[in-house]
Amino acid sequence: MDATDGTASSSTASKFSLENILGDEPDSVEHPKADDNWDEEIPDKAPVEGYCIECEDQPADLLCVSCGSDPYCGVCWASQHRKGSRKTHTVKKFTPKAETQPDAPPSPSKAAQMDVDADSDDDEDWERVTTASAPVVLSAQPVVGEKFGDWFFERSKFIPLRLTLTERKYLRLLEAALSVSEYTDKIDTLGFGQSKAKRIVHQIRELCAIMSGLVLSADYKQGQELFQDRDFAANDEFYQTILSSDSQTPEVKELLSFSCVKPIRTVYTVLEEAGALDLLREEIIVVATKEIYSEGRPRRDIQKDIKAKERAIETLASRYERKDLSQENIRQCLYSIGDNHSFLRANRDPCERMISYLKQYFQPTQAKDSKSSLAIRSGKGGARLSHDHSKQYAYVLQSLTLWREILHDMFHLWSLAEQDLLSESVGYRLRDTGQGLNRVQSCPKTSRMMHTILNKAQRSVGTWIGSSVIHMGDHNVPNALLFIDKYTQIYRILLPICNTLQQIPSIESKPALKSYIEDEFGSSENLVREILGDFFRHGFDGSGADNFFDAGSCIDGRLTSAWNWCSSLEKKRYFPIFLLGGFVGFDGEW
């Protein structure tokens, strides 16, 4: 009996090998340990003792006595106890040896927890946000002459190093490979006979084909050697520069004998390895990384700023040059921080401008007239929410504030999203989410950061309208990659609006167009107020989802409504003004 089992085990082990997988008959190869239920839900595991019962990845800080002595971290407790009867729950500081009190009521059901964050589309009283502690989130970038403390020190931990010329060559190579690759067409499918065992084999074959093609394209001699001996481990450093995701699965790593993933090099890691972190606290780093604007400034001032920036860069490069850190590396780090500033200007600053427009043209409590009212009613104009003017004003303000905070910390969210996507302990499941097959994967680290940002936004506005549900790892936002993609589109919505509003004075300077504006809208100020009023009403009305249940005031639903408004722009009577201002579409081509 034992001998038979040994023979069978040996046969299976020899069958599942890289040689056989890449051979002529891959269909006969199966993974020996894979089960057939590869797309089933992963059963929930009991939370680790001492960790938050909600997010399960942060140490517990508080113990809610009324919830059956459930442990929570500060952010999750604030999120789950914002309104309803939970606002009155008794809480105490968590200690590792805390015992559950016998007379405490039972833990609320999952349905009860969902009710806490259910969309509140009615006109209930505003909620006053109060939390136990403020999360540490960095403020806007410092200006010249201002004390910045550890701003650069902390933010540089998530600023990736700018690509070199060689790395840009690899990036173009990878993009070209992905544009013609049919990897997802073959792997992410629920076709006939695609059990997990078969799917792993196909996955390895496709990955090896892509890897071989990439090496051959980058270095013909190395590629020829790889085709002969199939020693992928010999090119591990090259693959770590390019590949990720599915190459992290245990089966792939076992056969390739190395990991295709390595951490992203950030400004902080480069300077830390060379012992030059003090550079991030130098006063002139503000000048060395400053973004120089040209709009509305004389050339003399622009040239003066450019020369001051170049002097600051050269000063820091010569001051911190050492054996393991060349001047070129230092310049690369400083340019990378400058890239971060450029990102913030293009993505976050439109949110700031829209907030200023809201406060400039609309009153927070009561509208001056019907044209200045932001009130919306469910069922009218496609709206799925009912808010009076003051409530809609607050709703728009808090949504723009939340977007601003998200974009300000987008580099941090990017870093956490990559960690979630490449996690070896959290796998994905193929699911039909209503928008085709998607990889549904939980995002514990990204979700934790999002709750921290949401908590900060709630504290900054003081009141919160609607739901605070953050969709992540479900049919609405399947994984961290789609979450990042969703919020990096915000500037594509807001920037064309801001640019059009800025172009109105220039458009009005032409007599014929000025006459058109006065005849159609009364004045340029009325035109600006109409554009903004329409966006603030119907860009935040809960519309745009596939069904009524997915619409509303949740965190992601606000962005969905804004996209829905963009799709109907050409039907607006002020659309010719957008065209006159140079608008071509909400695709970033500005």
Side-chain angles (χ1 to χ4, degrees):
M1 188 72 174
D2 294 341
T4 305
D5 291 344
T7 304
S9 176
S10 175
S11 173
T12 303
S14 61
K15 190 174 184 180
F16 187 76
S17 64
L18 190 60
E19 181 180 357
N20 290 335
I21 289 174
L22 301 179
D24 297 331
E25 298 181 357
D27 293 337
S28 61
V29 183
E30 291 189 0
H31 192 276
K33 298 180 181 179
D35 52 32
D36 290 333
N37 300 323
W38 61 274
D39 62 336
E40 294 294 330
E41 295 281 350
I42 301 174
D44 294 334
K45 297 181 180 178
V48 181
E49 184 177 356
Y51 280 76
C52 174
I53 195 172
E54 185 68 22
C55 63
E56 300 182 1
D57 69 339
Q58 294 295 320
D61 300 321
L62 302 171
L63 197 69
C64 185
V65 178
S66 304
C67 287
S69 297
D70 286 341
Y72 289 93
C73 63
V75 173
C76 289
W77 187 88
S79 174
Q80 293 292 319
H81 294 75
R82 293 191 308 105
K83 55 186 178 182
S85 61
R86 290 197 174 195
K87 292 178 69 175
T88 61
H89 281 193
T90 304
V91 65
K92 64 181 181 180
K93 188 175 181 180
F94 175 81
T95 54
K97 296 183 180 180
E99 297 180 359
T100 305
Q101 299 187 16
D103 56 344
S107 177
S109 64
K110 187 173 183 181
Q113 294 183 16
M114 292 299 294
D115 290 341
V116 174
D117 286 331
D119 286 3
S120 52
D121 297 340
D122 54 2
D123 288 326
E124 65 180 13
D125 292 338
W126 291 359
E127 173 193 353
R128 183 66 57 179
V129 178
T130 56
T131 52
S133 59
V136 179
V137 182
L138 297 175
S139 59
Q141 70 262 33
V143 296
V144 178
E146 184 180 68
K147 292 184 178 180
F148 53 85
D150 288 335
W151 193 92
F152 289 97
F153 189 85
E154 293 297 329
R155 193 166 186 84
S156 64
K157 295 178 180 178
F158 309 105
I159 299 178
L161 210 59
R162 178 186 280 193
L163 298 181
T164 63
L165 291 176
T166 302
E167 289 169 339
R168 290 183 187 278
K169 171 187 171 184
Y170 290 152
L171 176 61
R172 290 193 296 269
L173 172 63
L174 180 59
E175 288 176 341
L178 292 176
S179 66
V180 298
S181 172
E182 297 180 350
Y183 179 80
T184 54
D185 297 337
K186 297 179 179 179
I187 301 303
D188 290 349
T189 176
L190 299 176
F192 176 75
Q194 284 289 313
S195 63
K196 185 174 182 179
K198 291 284 188 183
R199 185 169 171 271
I200 290 173
V201 173
H202 285 287
Q203 189 178 53
I204 293 172
R205 279 182 63 87
E206 291 299 320
L207 275 174
C208 289
I210 294 174
M211 292 164 74
S212 303
L214 288 172
V215 173
L216 184 64
S217 301
D219 189 319
Y220 182 77
K221 184 178 180 181
Q222 269 189 324
Q224 287 290 87
E225 294 175 356
L226 180 61
F227 273 95
Q228 291 176 2
D229 54 27
R230 290 174 178 170
D231 183 12
F232 293 95
N235 300 283
D236 57 347
E237 186 174 348
F238 172 78
Y239 292 134
Q240 288 171 348
T241 306
I242 295 182
L243 293 178
S244 60
S245 191
D246 286 352
S247 58
Q248 275 292 86
T249 58
E251 297 83 9
V252 175
K253 291 173 66 175
E254 178 184 354
L255 287 176
L256 298 181
S257 303
F258 72 96
S259 173
C260 291
V261 174
K262 69 176 181 180
I264 290 180
R265 284 176 64 80
T266 63
V267 172
Y268 183 90
T269 56
V270 171
L271 296 177
E272 183 183 34
E273 291 171 359
L277 287 176
D278 289 341
L279 179 148
L280 299 172
R281 294 190 172 95
E282 289 279 355
E283 291 185 4
I284 60 173
I285 193 175
V286 180
V287 180
T289 60
K290 173 185 176 182
E291 188 179 14
I292 300 173
Y293 308 118
S294 61
E295 294 87 350
R297 301 180 61 199
R299 180 174 292 275
R300 170 194 263 175
D301 292 345
I302 297 172
Q303 290 297 328
K304 183 179 178 181
D305 286 349
I306 291 175
K307 290 180 179 178
K309 180 175 181 178
E310 291 175 348
R311 284 196 301 269
I313 292 174
E314 294 306 316
T315 299
L316 290 174
S318 59
R319 183 179 300 174
Y320 285 91
E321 181 185 14
R322 54 200 64 187
K323 182 180 179 181
D324 299 329
L325 189 66
S326 66
Q327 290 193 17
E328 186 58 34
N329 292 142
I330 296 174
R331 294 189 193 97
Q332 188 182 18
C333 290
L334 295 174
Y335 292 146
S336 299
I337 297 175
D339 293 341
N340 170 75
H341 293 343
S342 298
F343 173 86
L344 293 178
R345 178 176 176 246
N347 290 265
R348 185 201 59 195
D349 288 5
C351 296
E352 292 276 12
R353 289 156 64 183
M354 293 302 290
I355 291 174
S356 66
Y357 282 136
L358 176 66
K359 294 179 178 180
Q360 177 182 353
Y361 288 97
F362 301 93
Q363 296 296 323
T365 54
Q366 189 173 1
K368 293 181 179 180
D369 49 53
S370 59
K371 292 183 179 180
S372 300
S373 175
L374 298 179
I376 57 175
R377 180 180 298 176
S378 179
K380 185 177 181 180
R384 289 183 175 177
L385 300 175
S386 294
H387 291 161
D388 58 24
H389 171 81
S390 58
K391 194 171 184 180
Q392 181 68 4
Y393 179 96
Y395 181 72
V396 173
L397 177 61
Q398 69 184 26
S399 299
L400 291 171
T401 301
L402 176 63
W403 292 355
R404 179 190 65 192
E405 299 300 334
I406 290 173
L407 291 170
H408 180 74
D409 286 291
M410 182 55 71
F411 278 37
H412 192 175
L413 287 167
W414 249 323
S415 175
L416 296 177
E418 181 177 81
Q419 294 177 35
D420 285 332
L421 288 168
L422 299 179
S423 173
E424 297 183 35
S425 58
V426 182
Y428 69 84
R429 305 178 305 278
L430 275 182
R431 282 288 180 272
D432 187 350
T433 61
Q435 302 179 31
L437 284 177
N438 283 278
R439 297 186 176 194
V440 179
Q441 181 183 26
S442 61
C443 325
K445 295 181 180 180
T446 312
S447 177
R448 165 74 182 183
M449 183 63 185
M450 264 301 297
H451 279 90
T452 300
I453 294 173
L454 174 61
N455 184 254
K456 180 177 185 292
Q458 289 173 336
R459 289 172 59 85
S460 66
V461 296
T463 59
W464 196 256
I465 308 298
S467 171
S468 60
V469 171
I470 299 175
H471 291 288
M472 204 176 298
D474 58 14
H475 72 282
N476 289 303
V477 185
N479 52 59
L481 180 62
L482 289 180
F483 168 81
I484 292 295
D485 181 68
K486 188 180 182 76
Y487 281 95
T488 50
Q489 309 301 318
I490 291 176
Y491 87 98
R492 299 192 178 207
I493 300 174
L494 301 185
L495 192 58
I497 301 174
C498 293
N499 288 342
T500 298
L501 296 177
Q502 284 185 326
Q503 292 295 322
I504 289 178
S506 176
I507 296 172
E508 194 182 25
S509 64
K510 301 176 181 178
L513 296 180
K514 182 178 181 179
S515 177
Y516 162 72
I517 291 175
E518 290 178 349
D519 293 342
E520 189 72 20
F521 304 99
S523 66
S524 59
E525 184 175 349
N526 289 343
L527 170 60
V528 172
R529 186 175 280 107
E530 180 171 336
I531 294 174
L532 290 173
D534 187 65
F535 176 67
F536 291 150
R537 283 190 296 270
H538 297 292
F540 300 87
D541 61 1
S543 61
D546 294 333
N547 55 71
F548 187 82
F549 299 102
D550 289 340
S553 60
C554 66
I555 301 304
D556 302 282
R558 302 163 193 250
L559 189 53
T560 303
S561 301
W563 269 123
N564 189 58
W565 177 87
C566 294
S567 66
S568 60
L569 179 63
E570 66 274 7
K571 301 176 183 177
K572 310 291 185 180
R573 76 182 189 118
Y574 51 77
F575 181 60
I577 302 297
F578 273 73
L579 297 178
L580 290 170
F583 174 79
V584 293
F586 293 101
D587 56 1
E589 298 296 331
W590 271 78

